[in-house]
Amino acid sequence: MQPCVVSNVDDPALVEMRRSQFVKAASELFARKGYHRTTIRDITQSAGLSTGLIYSYVRAKEDVLFLVLENVLKSYLAEIPRALEAGGGPVERFCATVRAYCEVIGDKPDATQLAYRETKSLGADYQTVIKNMELETNQLIIDRIEECIDAGYFRPVNVELLTYRIVLLAHGWALKAWRLQQFTTLDEYIDEGLDLFLNALLTPEGWAHYREVREGRGVQ
Amino acid sequence: MQPCVVSNVDDPALVEMRRSQFVKAASELFARKGYHRTTIRDITQSAGLSTGLIYSYVRAKEDVLFLVLENVLKSYLAEIPRALEAGGGPVERFCATVRAYCEVIGDKPDATQLAYRETKSLGADYQTVIKNMELETNQLIIDRIEECIDAGYFRPVNVELLTYRIVLLAHGWALKAWRLQQFTTLDEYIDEGLDLFLNALLTPEGWAHYREVREGRGVQ
Amino acid sequence: MQPCVVSNVDDPALVEMRRSQFVKAASELFARKGYHRTTIRDITQSAGLSTGLIYSYVRAKEDVLFLVLENVLKSYLAEIPRALEAGGGPVERFCATVRAYCEVIGDKPDATQLAYRETKSLGADYQTVIKNMELETNQLIIDRIEECIDAGYFRPVNVELLTYRIVLLAHGWALKAWRLQQFTTLDEYIDEGLDLFLNALLTPEGWAHYREVREGRGVQ
Amino acid sequence: MQPCVVSNVDDPALVEMRRSQFVKAASELFARKGYHRTTIRDITQSAGLSTGLIYSYVRAKEDVLFLVLENVLKSYLAEIPRALEAGGGPVERFCATVRAYCEVIGDKPDATQLAYRETKSLGADYQTVIKNMELETNQLIIDRIEECIDAGYFRPVNVELLTYRIVLLAHGWALKAWRLQQFTTLDEYIDEGLDLFLNALLTPEGWAHYREVREGRGVQ
DNA sequence: CATGAATGAGCATTCATTCAT
DNA sequence: GATGAATGAATGCTCATTCAT
């Protein structure tokens, strides 16, 4: 379905293992030196493997960049939905998802910065795949917003636009981490950010529900 | 004060002219192909000048990137303050500044994207200069926020943090323009964005003032 | 006597079999893509065997080329003498040998072309072996010519030189097959070629004999 | 008209000069080591120029091979017609042309060998150009043959086929020079070769004409 | 000042060969 | 004996930079 990176090696477990070695090394290097300043030798040496080997697992340097970025977006898609395991009402689920998105990015801001910097270094096909994964991630937020609207807790809004504001809230931490960390924490950043949105979105009914939950939490 | 790009050529007017030729050509090329994929020959040819000439106005390719990015930030610093010419109260001035910031970015989103993608391609010193220019731009917003707070129209908030939320509002348009344009306009994006912030920031006194102004505008 | 290609494997039958598998695959690939553009993987894959295995039957890639070329020349040495089985007089035997040489080449012109293209890709020792095999092949013609001269059917000539003219007659078909096939057939090419030589070589006595034979054939 | 090798450099005289330097160096190296075993570094070093420079005059290594082969065939096309300057009758002109062809090849047999070995290393387009130049060369012979036939000096024959026999006479010297030189000279090779053909081709009228000419020459 | 030919270090990629399993 | 993953030297080509004119 997606333009999969091809490998000479058959054993899928080995492919998985080697690629993750190369991706790990490349992620660090790309983040530090950028894609173009990082050589294949840098990557293979850093992975403790020989220069030529990488070409048994990848067709070209570009494939490595794709695998790195794919890996980042995959981790979003894997981590964010776990915020819903705790259950709760629509608003809680919305907040948990936003928080999860911010936290997964806060966990490795370099990865998100890398995505912003180097996605355009990919060929058109790979860019499409990456963008589709981003849209898939956005859907996790869209679903929460619509849940809140359907429940009557959020005012009806332009869902797509709101989603992007939240995406920018999350990505913003990564993009400006160097400075934001000087005068705030990720927690405060998220809390205040959520306040901003809830303030503008909650209906009276939503407020009632939200207060209930917060007080319940506060008692704990 | 700032690590100025050195030139072999004496005549300042000529330096200015040639550099702007190179910067113009390079801006387009960097935005389209990225810094590393653009060659010096690409730039000089596109500028209609000879390959070697650029080295009379710049010491290295990196200098060109710096000049391009500096040019972007300079335009922000030049354009945004013009929003204050219309006068008005603190909240109006705040709104006008935010709007101006968004609009100057909406005008050439490629330039802002470029800054996000390629600032790290600069050496540490140049990065510092660029970051300082960004801080200088931020100050334009900080001043407006503090004006509003001092006037009692905004609740006291973490000014720096709020500033970055606004910066992200403005930059967000450039970063996500490819998708946002599909379901909103820059105007709607700004209006709704401002609403979000004002909603959370205005004191009762601020609201009174704000309503007055909006109605005054609405009458027109 | 000849620098034989060494093998790790003991069983001669197995060596024979594997080598013929590799030679078969390599012949086709070398003819199509050339020796240097053909990789060891191409050969082993095409032979349906694993990459490393070939190095149990051959010391280096060059050995494969040698085996391929040796195989070609061996087939000449095996096929051409069969032309003498039909018996006949000296001139008939000469003609039959020339014809056989042309036909064995006409049968697989790619092999001969390959020999012309890639013999120099071999090391000096291997080249010597191949050249000696060519000389051995030439001897088949030399013997026929001398037979005819001794019988008084051919004028005395520079035998070696004549031999090479005939070798070029035969090889010429392979070297220029791409074009010759457009306006003649191998049979016509041979017949007319033989005519040319007989015309110049036959003594009156030889002519008498030759006519007799041709008419004998014509009657059939 | 022919897929011309492109150059970055404008000055035609310089292009001409540099290319001939590279071609000269490459001709020797290709002949000695073969195209694939010769590196770009070999060529540029041998030409006394820097590695990168060659790419201002040629797009790829393949272009160098083309230029080398083109150069060989161009020299044929330039040299052979000069044989006609001496004038003479059709048969003389035929003989002079054949002799000239053999001699131009005898002058640099390596070049012709190279053409046989490496033409297939070229891409399809370049191969076509080279083949067309060969056909153009053949035409020089075709014209002589037809002249002789039209004059009634040669029996009517398959002109194309005869042409290829002569081409093989000429090329044969290069292909087998290593051995032919051991028992004959180029002159003898040509003289006897011409005899062979004339013997088979001349009409009684042609013979008369031919004897006259030879005796005329003999007297000198 | 301007030109553009020349330089050569740097890099992605290939592929013959090895060797642990 | 057979496999195929691993090695790393080799090489075509690019491009920032220099400098003679």
Side-chain angles (χ1 to χ4, degrees):
Chain A
M1 194 156 157
Q2 57 182 54
C4 213
V5 179
V6 185
S7 168
N8 286 336
V9 179
D10 295 322
D11 180 7
L14 185 58
V15 172
E16 181 70 13
M17 185 208 191
R18 290 286 182 239
R19 280 190 181 166
S20 83
Q21 286 180 285
F22 290 126
V23 164
K24 191 183 163 194
S27 296
E28 194 272 329
L29 288 161
F30 289 168
R32 182 150 52 82
K33 312 175 27 168
Y35 171 68
H36 287 100
R37 288 207 197 289
T38 301
T39 69
I40 285 287
R41 284 175 123 86
D42 288 339
I43 297 169
T44 52
Q45 267 178 37
S46 169
L49 294 164
S50 69
T51 317
L53 190 62
I54 201 167
Y55 288 94
S56 292
Y57 297 93
V58 129
R59 252 177 330 179
K61 193 184 172 192
E62 195 196 322
D63 292 346
V64 181
L65 177 56
F66 172 71
L67 287 175
V68 166
L69 296 181
E70 184 195 46
N71 188 245
V72 173
L73 294 216
K74 267 186 181 166
S75 75
Y76 295 172
L77 283 167
E79 292 299 320
I80 299 170
R82 295 183 54 192
L84 302 179
E85 288 172 3
V91 178
E92 272 185 300
R93 288 159 60 87
F94 167 80
C95 291
T97 296
V98 173
R99 182 172 302 275
Y101 199 173
C102 291
E103 278 170 350
V104 75
I105 279 173
D107 219 44
K108 32 185 183 175
D110 290 349
T112 300
Q113 277 178 48
L114 185 64
Y116 272 86
R117 280 204 283 144
E118 303 291 9
T119 300
K120 282 211 175 172
S121 301
L122 290 173
D125 286 351
Y126 275 150
Q127 277 188 50
T128 305
V129 177
I130 295 295
K131 281 184 179 168
N132 285 338
M133 292 182 78
E134 187 178 323
L135 295 181
E136 226 178 311
T137 312
N138 292 354
Q139 193 60 44
L140 301 174
I141 298 165
I142 290 175
D143 291 345
R144 287 324 114 230
I145 296 171
E146 289 181 337
E147 228 169 56
C148 290
I149 293 173
D150 290 348
Y153 293 161
F154 276 8
R155 292 190 290 110
V157 290
N158 184 332
V159 177
E160 286 273 12
L161 180 48
L162 175 59
T163 299
Y164 269 92
R165 296 207 196 272
I166 286 159
V167 167
L168 283 166
L169 176 75
H171 292 182
W173 180 262
L175 294 173
K176 299 298 180 189
W178 63 277
R179 184 107 182 108
L180 288 170
Q181 283 178 334
Q182 293 174 2
F183 46 77
T184 190
T185 65
L186 179 55
D187 264 341
E188 188 192 14
Y189 177 81
I190 298 169
D191 287 338
E192 211 189 79
L194 275 174
D195 260 13
L196 202 68
F197 285 113
L198 292 180
N199 206 35
L201 291 168
L202 287 174
T203 57
E205 208 178 339
W207 272 115
H209 176 80
Y210 181 58
R211 261 192 219 103
E212 216 172 276
V213 172
R214 286 185 88 182
E215 278 154 18
R217 226 198 257 153
V219 170
Q220 289 178 331
Chain B
M1 190 157 155
Q2 56 181 54
C4 212
V5 179
V6 184
S7 168
N8 289 335
V9 178
D10 296 324
D11 178 5
L14 185 56
V15 172
E16 181 71 12
M17 186 213 190
R18 289 286 184 237
R19 279 188 181 169
S20 84
Q21 286 178 289
F22 291 127
V23 164
K24 191 183 165 195
S27 296
E28 195 272 327
L29 288 162
F30 290 168
R32 182 150 51 81
K33 314 178 21 171
Y35 170 67
H36 287 99
R37 289 206 196 290
T38 301
T39 70
I40 286 286
R41 282 175 100 103
D42 287 338
I43 297 168
T44 52
Q45 264 177 39
S46 172
L49 296 163
S50 69
T51 316
L53 191 61
I54 201 167
Y55 287 93
S56 295
Y57 298 92
V58 127
R59 251 177 332 176
K61 193 187 173 192
E62 196 195 320
D63 292 347
V64 182
L65 178 56
F66 172 72
L67 288 175
V68 166
L69 296 181
E70 184 194 46
N71 186 247
V72 173
L73 294 215
K74 267 185 181 165
S75 76
Y76 295 171
L77 283 167
E79 292 299 321
I80 298 170
R82 297 180 54 192
L84 302 180
E85 290 171 1
V91 177
E92 271 187 303
R93 289 159 60 87
F94 167 80
C95 289
T97 297
V98 173
R99 182 172 303 275
Y101 199 174
C102 291
E103 278 171 349
V104 75
I105 278 173
D107 219 43
K108 35 183 179 174
D110 290 349
T112 300
Q113 277 178 49
L114 184 64
Y116 271 87
R117 279 206 282 145
E118 304 290 11
T119 300
K120 283 213 174 171
S121 302
L122 290 173
D125 287 352
Y126 275 149
Q127 275 187 51
T128 304
V129 177
I130 295 295
K131 281 183 179 169
N132 285 338
M133 292 182 79
E134 187 178 321
L135 295 181
E136 226 179 311
T137 312
N138 292 353
Q139 194 60 45
L140 300 175
I141 297 164
I142 290 174
D143 291 346
R144 288 322 115 232
I145 295 171
E146 287 181 337
E147 230 169 54
C148 290
I149 293 173
D150 291 349
Y153 292 160
F154 276 8
R155 292 190 291 111
V157 288
N158 184 332
V159 177
E160 286 274 13
L161 180 49
L162 175 59
T163 300
Y164 269 93
R165 293 205 197 277
I166 285 160
V167 167
L168 283 166
L169 176 76
H171 293 182
W173 180 261
L175 294 173
K176 299 296 179 189
W178 63 277
R179 185 112 180 103
L180 289 169
Q181 284 177 334
Q182 293 175 4
F183 46 76
T184 190
T185 64
L186 179 55
D187 264 342
E188 187 192 15
Y189 177 82
I190 298 169
D191 287 339
E192 211 189 78
L194 277 173
D195 259 14
L196 204 68
F197 285 113
L198 294 179
N199 206 33
L201 291 168
L202 287 174
T203 56
E205 207 179 341
W207 272 116
H209 175 80
Y210 180 57
R211 259 191 221 102
E212 219 171 276
V213 172
R214 285 186 87 184
E215 276 154 21
R217 226 197 259 152
V219 171
Q220 290 177 331
Chain C
M1 190 156 155
Q2 56 181 54
C4 209
V5 178
V6 184
S7 167
N8 287 335
V9 178
D10 296 324
D11 179 6
L14 185 57
V15 172
E16 181 70 13
M17 184 209 191
R18 290 283 183 243
R19 279 188 181 168
S20 82
Q21 287 179 288
F22 290 127
V23 164
K24 192 184 165 195
S27 297
E28 194 272 328
L29 288 162
F30 289 168
R32 182 150 51 82
K33 314 177 19 169
Y35 171 67
H36 287 99
R37 289 206 197 288
T38 301
T39 69
I40 286 286
R41 281 174 101 103
D42 287 339
I43 297 168
T44 52
Q45 265 178 37
S46 172
L49 295 165
S50 70
T51 316
L53 191 61
I54 202 168
Y55 286 92
S56 294
Y57 296 92
V58 128
R59 252 176 331 177
K61 193 187 173 190
E62 195 195 321
D63 293 346
V64 181
L65 178 57
F66 171 71
L67 288 175
V68 166
L69 296 180
E70 183 194 45
N71 187 245
V72 173
L73 294 215
K74 268 186 181 165
S75 77
Y76 294 173
L77 283 167
E79 292 299 321
I80 298 170
R82 295 182 53 190
L84 302 180
E85 289 172 4
V91 178
E92 269 186 304
R93 289 159 62 84
F94 168 79
C95 290
T97 297
V98 173
R99 183 172 302 275
Y101 200 173
C102 291
E103 278 170 351
V104 74
I105 278 173
D107 219 43
K108 32 185 181 174
D110 291 348
T112 300
Q113 276 178 50
L114 184 65
Y116 272 87
R117 280 206 282 145
E118 303 291 10
T119 300
K120 282 214 176 171
S121 301
L122 290 173
D125 287 351
Y126 275 149
Q127 277 188 51
T128 304
V129 177
I130 293 294
K131 281 183 179 168
N132 285 339
M133 292 182 78
E134 188 178 321
L135 295 182
E136 225 178 311
T137 312
N138 293 353
Q139 195 59 46
L140 300 175
I141 297 165
I142 290 175
D143 291 346
R144 286 325 113 230
I145 295 171
E146 288 181 337
E147 230 169 55
C148 290
I149 293 174
D150 290 349
Y153 292 160
F154 276 8
R155 293 190 290 111
V157 290
N158 183 333
V159 178
E160 285 274 12
L161 180 50
L162 176 57
T163 300
Y164 268 93
R165 296 209 196 272
I166 285 160
V167 167
L168 283 166
L169 177 74
H171 292 182
W173 179 262
L175 295 173
K176 299 297 181 190
W178 64 277
R179 185 114 179 101
L180 289 170
Q181 282 178 336
Q182 293 175 4
F183 46 76
T184 189
T185 64
L186 178 55
D187 265 341
E188 187 190 14
Y189 178 81
I190 297 169
D191 286 339
E192 212 188 78
L194 276 173
D195 259 13
L196 204 66
F197 285 114
L198 293 180
N199 206 35
L201 291 168
L202 286 176
T203 57
E205 205 178 341
W207 271 116
H209 176 78
Y210 181 56
R211 262 190 218 105
E212 213 170 284
V213 173
R214 284 185 91 183
E215 278 154 19
R217 225 198 258 151
V219 172
Q220 288 181 328
Chain D
M1 192 155 156
Q2 57 182 51
C4 210
V5 179
V6 185
S7 168
N8 286 336
V9 178
D10 295 322
D11 179 8
L14 184 57
V15 172
E16 181 70 14
M17 185 210 193
R18 290 287 183 237
R19 278 189 183 166
S20 83
Q21 285 179 285
F22 290 126
V23 164
K24 191 184 165 195
S27 296
E28 194 271 328
L29 288 162
F30 289 168
R32 181 150 51 83
K33 313 176 25 169
Y35 171 68
H36 287 100
R37 289 209 197 289
T38 302
T39 68
I40 285 287
R41 288 177 153 75
D42 288 338
I43 297 169
T44 52
Q45 266 177 38
S46 170
L49 294 164
S50 69
T51 316
L53 189 62
I54 201 169
Y55 288 95
S56 292
Y57 297 92
V58 129
R59 249 177 334 178
K61 193 187 171 190
E62 196 195 320
D63 292 347
V64 182
L65 178 56
F66 172 72
L67 287 175
V68 166
L69 297 181
E70 185 195 44
N71 187 247
V72 173
L73 294 217
K74 267 186 180 166
S75 76
Y76 295 173
L77 283 167
E79 293 299 322
I80 298 171
R82 297 181 53 190
L84 301 180
E85 290 172 3
V91 177
E92 271 186 304
R93 289 159 61 86
F94 168 79
C95 290
T97 297
V98 173
R99 183 173 302 275
Y101 200 172
C102 291
E103 279 170 350
V104 75
I105 279 173
D107 218 43
K108 35 183 179 173
D110 291 348
T112 301
Q113 276 178 50
L114 185 64
Y116 272 86
R117 280 205 283 144
E118 304 291 9
T119 301
K120 282 213 175 171
S121 301
L122 290 173
D125 286 351
Y126 275 150
Q127 276 187 49
T128 303
V129 178
I130 295 295
K131 281 185 180 168
N132 285 339
M133 292 182 79
E134 188 179 320
L135 295 181
E136 227 178 311
T137 312
N138 293 352
Q139 193 60 44
L140 300 175
I141 298 165
I142 290 174
D143 291 346
R144 286 325 115 232
I145 295 171
E146 288 182 338
E147 230 169 55
C148 291
I149 293 173
D150 291 348
Y153 294 161
F154 278 6
R155 292 191 290 111
V157 289
N158 183 333
V159 176
E160 287 273 11
L161 180 50
L162 176 59
T163 300
Y164 268 94
R165 294 206 198 272
I166 287 161
V167 167
L168 283 166
L169 177 74
H171 293 182
W173 179 263
L175 295 172
K176 300 297 180 191
W178 62 277
R179 184 107 181 108
L180 289 169
Q181 284 179 333
Q182 293 174 5
F183 47 77
T184 190
T185 64
L186 178 56
D187 264 342
E188 185 189 17
Y189 178 81
I190 298 169
D191 286 339
E192 209 188 82
L194 275 174
D195 259 12
L196 203 66
F197 284 113
L198 293 180
N199 207 35
L201 291 169
L202 286 175
T203 57
E205 206 178 339
W207 273 116
H209 176 79
Y210 181 57
R211 262 191 219 102
E212 214 170 277
V213 171
R214 284 186 89 181
E215 278 153 19
R217 226 197 257 150
V219 170
Q220 290 179 332

